[in-house]
């Protein structure tokens, strides 16, 4: 029995060694946890600093812009607004409508209302009154469109005949010095009291700076143009 008791006893120095190992393990774990917390703290601090810096820069920019606007005189402020609008690179576009002389004496090309009234719109485009032409401001691909309403005039007797309509969009280019047909649409209208037609066409066209856009119809179609409102005839174009 004594021999078994002696064999089961654990040396004192072995117990101390195991206790020391446990203490070391706990200390290592504690150090690792402290390092992780320190890393998290540094990361949070970095985000806070960056956020504060961004807010500071934004505030300074807003204050500077406000001070610049308030320091400008009314005339200077208006000029600055105009410059800002030009800086937006507005694309050329135009929309012309029914002229007051739309069914007057037939001419080679239809006249258009181009002054800034009603639905008329001109952005960078110009209009040549003598040539009845929309002048292209810069080269590029444009969507060009035109529409004209035709209606039989009121009269006591009707013949029942068919009137043929033809609408052409022509381009006069400085490069060729000649008219070039870019669009054409044809239709017909019966000679009766209810006879009416809306002729429309539009497509993408490659144009050069200074090109002239004009519309031509048959001479006998002039008296059939509906000039009642500004929406009954129109031509337009815009840069794509």
């Amino acid at each position: 029995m004594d021999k078994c008791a002696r064999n089961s006893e654990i040396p004192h120095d072995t117990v101390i060694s195991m206790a020391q190992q446990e203490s070391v393990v706990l200390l290592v774990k504690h150090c690792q946890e402290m390092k992780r917390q320190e890393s998290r703290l540094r990361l949070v601090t970095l985000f806070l600093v960056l956020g504060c810096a961004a807010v500071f820069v934004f505030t300074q920019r807003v204050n500077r812009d406000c001070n610049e606007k308030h320091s400008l005189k009314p005339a200077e402020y208006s000029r600055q607004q105009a410059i800002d609008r030009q800086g937006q690179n507005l694309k050329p576009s135009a929309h012309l409508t029914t002229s007051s002389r739309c069914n007057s004496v037939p001419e080679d090309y239809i006249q258009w209302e181009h002054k800034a009234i009603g639905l008329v719109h001109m952005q960078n485009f110009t209009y040549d009154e003598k040539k009845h032409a929309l002048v292209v401001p810069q080269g590029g691909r444009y969507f060009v469109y035109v529409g004209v309403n035709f209606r039989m005039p009121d009269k006591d007797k009707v013949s029942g005949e068919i009137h043929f309509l033809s609408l052409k969009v022509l381009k006069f280019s400085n490069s060729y010095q000649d008219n070039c047909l870019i669009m054409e649409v044809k239709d017909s209208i019966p000679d009766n009291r209810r006879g009416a037609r809306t002729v429309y066409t539009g497509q993408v066209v490659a144009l050069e700076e200074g090109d002239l856009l004009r519309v031509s119809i048959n001479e006998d179609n002039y008296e059939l143009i509906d000039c009642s409102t500004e929406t009954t005839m129109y031509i337009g174009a815009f840069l794509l």
Side-chain angles (χ1 to χ4, degrees):
M1 293 293 293
D2 294 339
K3 185 178 180 180
C4 292
R6 285 196 299 270
N7 292 336
S8 62
E9 290 180 356
I10 300 175
H12 181 67
D13 56 348
T14 302
V15 174
I16 294 175
S17 177
M18 292 177 63
Q20 289 177 346
Q21 289 179 0
E22 290 178 357
S23 299
V24 170
V25 171
L26 291 175
L27 181 61
V28 170
K29 290 183 178 180
H30 180 70
C31 292
Q32 290 176 344
E33 181 64 25
M34 291 295 293
K35 287 183 178 180
R36 284 195 293 267
Q37 291 182 0
E38 183 179 359
S39 299
R40 295 193 191 101
L41 181 60
R42 288 179 179 178
L43 185 61
V44 172
T45 304
L46 177 62
F47 281 125
L48 289 175
V49 171
L50 292 177
C52 293
V55 172
F56 177 78
V57 173
F58 177 78
T59 304
Q60 292 295 320
R61 179 66 181 272
V62 172
N63 292 335
R64 186 182 65 183
D65 292 344
C66 291
N67 293 334
E68 289 178 354
K69 289 183 178 179
H70 288 299
S71 63
L72 292 175
K73 296 180 180 179
E76 294 175 342
Y77 183 67
S78 299
R79 286 195 297 269
Q80 184 63 41
Q81 285 184 318
I83 294 173
D84 293 340
R85 286 194 296 269
Q86 291 177 359
Q88 296 176 357
N89 296 324
L90 298 176
K91 292 184 177 181
S93 59
H95 181 84
L96 309 183
T97 60
T98 309
S99 170
S100 58
R101 301 178 59 189
C102 70
N103 57 358
S104 59
V105 179
E107 299 187 32
D108 293 336
Y109 308 104
I110 293 180
Q111 301 181 61
W112 301 97
E113 179 59 61
H114 60 281
K115 297 181 180 179
I117 58 175
L119 299 177
V120 175
H121 168 76
M122 296 275 279
Q123 177 67 48
N124 296 334
F125 273 89
T126 55
Y127 183 76
D128 191 321
E129 295 186 13
K130 294 182 179 180
K131 298 179 180 180
H132 304 165
L134 195 60
V135 184
V136 177
Q138 70 182 67
R141 293 189 305 159
Y142 289 78
F143 183 80
V144 181
Y145 60 91
V146 61
V148 178
N149 289 3
F150 295 94
R151 184 181 300 277
M152 292 303 301
D154 294 333
K155 54 184 178 180
D156 296 334
K157 295 181 180 181
V158 294
S159 63
E161 298 179 356
I162 301 296
H163 294 268
F164 294 98
L165 308 173
S166 176
L167 183 66
K168 299 178 181 179
V169 180
L170 305 170
K171 177 187 72 172
F172 182 88
S173 176
N174 293 325
S175 302
Y176 300 100
Q177 292 293 312
D178 195 8
N179 281 322
C180 175
L181 178 65
I182 59 176
M183 287 186 289
E184 181 178 14
V185 59
K186 295 182 179 180
D187 206 335
S188 61
I189 182 173
D191 187 6
N192 58 48
R193 293 184 178 87
R194 296 183 179 180
R197 286 288 185 277
T198 298
V199 179
Y200 171 87
T201 184
Q203 70 179 40
V204 177
V205 182
L207 300 174
E208 299 177 357
E209 181 179 354
D211 284 353
L212 305 180
L213 297 176
R214 297 184 282 203
V215 179
S216 173
I217 63 173
N218 292 338
E219 184 175 339
D220 57 353
N221 292 162
Y222 266 88
E223 63 176 359
L224 305 179
I225 297 178
D226 182 3
C227 300
S228 57
T229 67
E230 64 175 340
T231 60
T232 55
M233 58 183 297
Y234 51 85
I235 182 176
F238 56 86
L239 179 66
L240 298 177

